[in-house]
Amino acid sequence: MYYEKGYPESVVAPDVFVVFGVENRDRRSYKTWEENNQTPDFVLEITSKSTRSKDQGAKKGIYAFLGVREYFQYDPTGDYLNPQLQGLHLINGNYFPLATNTLPDGTVSLHSEVLGLELRLEAGKLRFYNPAAGQTLLTHEEEAAARQAAEEKAQRLAAKLRELNIDPDSL
């Protein structure tokens, strides 16, 4: 993400970021000046031994400067961040920690006001949970498997209807 026109060194590469109010389209890179100076509302960094100091230092400062309202860090191995999932909320140009909630089953949860979701640490894995729907968002793999299962079920139902001399395409 480039954030100052004419200064190619003014670049930062978040692992995940969300910007509201911009067109949903593919981009090779995100240039704020081409997007009505819209900067991310939410950033998630997947941190590791090699990125920890940047994620907690320079990047954190850049995100605050850009006005990123929420900044989350997740350490998938649990080796470098304690706690393994952390969230910060921007108030008057400074980041302050978000409250962590531990559910009865031991799941760690942080609420993202920006996304309207909870980021949950379930058995060490980061998951997004929609409290309004009461559902965990599916991973790409889970969504693909669910779609395939639904397609197979539809094919079985169509075959059964044909057995009953009912054309499923006429319904």
Side-chain angles (χ1 to χ4, degrees), residues 153-165:
K153 182 178 181 180
Q155 289 172 0
R156 287 193 307 275
L157 289 171
K160 186 64 173 175
L161 286 170
R162 286 187 192 96
E163 284 177 21
L164 299 170
N165 292 322

Side-chain angles (χ1 to χ4, degrees), residues 25-38:
R25 62 179 172 83
D26 288 336
R27 298 164 175 80
R28 287 182 51 108
S29 59
Y30 187 90
K31 300 173 184 172
T32 59
W33 60 90
E34 291 179 359
E35 306 291 346
N36 232 9
N37 293 314
Q38 291 281 89

